[in-house]
Amino acid sequence: MSRRLTLRPLRIAVLTGVAAGALLVPATAAFATDPTPTPGATDSTPADKEALAKKKAEDARTLKARKAAEAQKAGGKDYPRGGVAAGEAPAQDDNTGTLIGSATGALLLAGAGTYVLRRRTTARRES
């Protein structure tokens, strides 16, 4: 039995492990954060919750009044405002997982191409 035949299963196992790892690494980002919040030391009492609800209602009324005053000041021209101007928070998109996945996919594709080319070269030499 030649040495080449005994290394083939080892190569297949290593390549399979690398391919599986490359697919699983980007997926680990989905499990990195804990979705269940832990109770804090300063939990609100019912009286605090009522006061907070009153404060929110008051803030909503003042905001509504301020917007009405601004619309009246603008001469009745109520143009729609979107995005951050409307109070939306800017997107906090982290593309690290996408970049890592793309890089590993490119490396796997390059490795597979190299493997195929080496096999073809070896087959031509043997024949």
Side-chain angles (χ1 to χ4, degrees):
M1 183 181 249
S2 72
R3 179 180 156 109
R4 170 171 239 151
L5 291 177
T6 59
L7 290 178
R8 183 171 287 162
L10 180 62
R11 283 184 190 165
I12 290 172
V14 168
L15 288 174
T16 304
V18 168
L23 293 174
L24 292 177
V25 166
T28 57
F31 300 106
T33 59
D34 186 19
T36 56
T38 56
T42 58
D43 285 341
S44 301
T45 61
D48 291 340
K49 289 180 182 178
E50 289 175 14
L52 184 62
K54 286 180 184 178
K55 175 86 170 122
K56 283 184 180 180
E58 171 104 12
D59 288 344
R61 279 192 295 263
T62 57
L63 181 64
K64 195 174 193 181
R66 200 177 311 144
K67 282 186 178 181
E70 286 178 7
Q72 202 172 34
K73 190 175 166 183
K77 297 178 183 176
D78 192 20
Y79 296 112
R81 298 182 325 173
V84 178
E88 253 181 56
Q92 299 293 326
D93 191 15
D94 186 17
N95 293 329
T96 306
T98 305
L99 292 174
I100 290 172
S102 298
T104 51
L107 286 173
L108 283 172
L109 186 61
T114 303
Y115 182 72
V116 168
L117 289 176
R118 289 184 71 193
R119 295 268 310 200
R120 286 185 180 175
T121 304
T122 306
R124 286 183 185 168
R125 284 185 195 155
E126 290 178 357
S127 59

